[in-house]
Amino acid sequence: MMRLAFALTMLLCGSAAAQQAVDKGTGAVLRGLDKVGGHVVDMTLRNGESSSLGRLTVRLGECRYPEGDPAADAYAFLTVEEEGHEAPVFQGWMIASSPALNAMEHARYDVWVMRCKTD
């Protein structure tokens, strides 16, 4: 449902942000939270790499940011899989400034994008 809302918002939005040129980062910094234990971990991944967060595997497809401004709003394509589950827990674009727009819904873990890497 959230993905549909996001897609419709992007289609209907005529804002400069939706039409802005972007650059592709070499990776991203993601933040993970174990809600039960209160543990926070930062994951620095290159495009195509993955990292573990408890029973989850977080894979970064790619990270993009507004052209010429890597410190600005990043968005990344993530695939999050959980041990013992066939379908991904989350797969799609996540936006650093609006993580709730297309959020991962999981009872124990939370993942969000911090920024793109350019080196």
Side-chain angles (χ1 to χ4, degrees):
M1 186 67 171
M2 288 298 292
R3 290 184 195 159
L4 177 60
F6 176 73
L8 289 173
T9 301
M10 293 308 290
L11 285 172
L12 297 175
C13 181
S15 71
Q19 300 170 7
Q20 187 172 26
V22 296
D23 284 332
K24 185 176 171 182
T26 58
V29 176
L30 310 174
R31 182 160 289 162
L33 169 66
D34 178 340
K35 298 177 202 175
V36 173
H39 302 287
V40 176
V41 62
D42 286 350
M43 300 170 275
T44 301
L45 301 173
R46 297 187 69 71
N47 293 338
E49 286 185 337
S50 61
S51 182
S52 295
L53 175 64
R55 296 177 47 87
L56 301 182
T57 300
V58 180
R59 186 172 53 249
L60 172 66
E62 66 179 87
C63 192
R64 298 178 185 175
Y65 58 90
E67 188 173 54
D69 192 2
D73 193 26
Y75 55 102
F77 189 84
L78 303 177
T79 301
V80 182
E81 297 172 322
E82 184 172 14
E83 291 176 23
H85 292 83
E86 193 170 312
V89 173
F90 177 86
Q91 187 170 36
W93 290 98
M94 194 175 286
I95 303 168
S97 66
S98 303
L101 186 61
N102 195 22
M104 180 181 87
E105 296 180 20
H106 194 276
R108 180 168 183 167
Y109 300 103
D110 206 355
V111 175
W112 62 95
V113 180
M114 300 298 293
R115 64 184 174 278
C116 288
K117 299 286 289 176
T118 59
D119 47 59

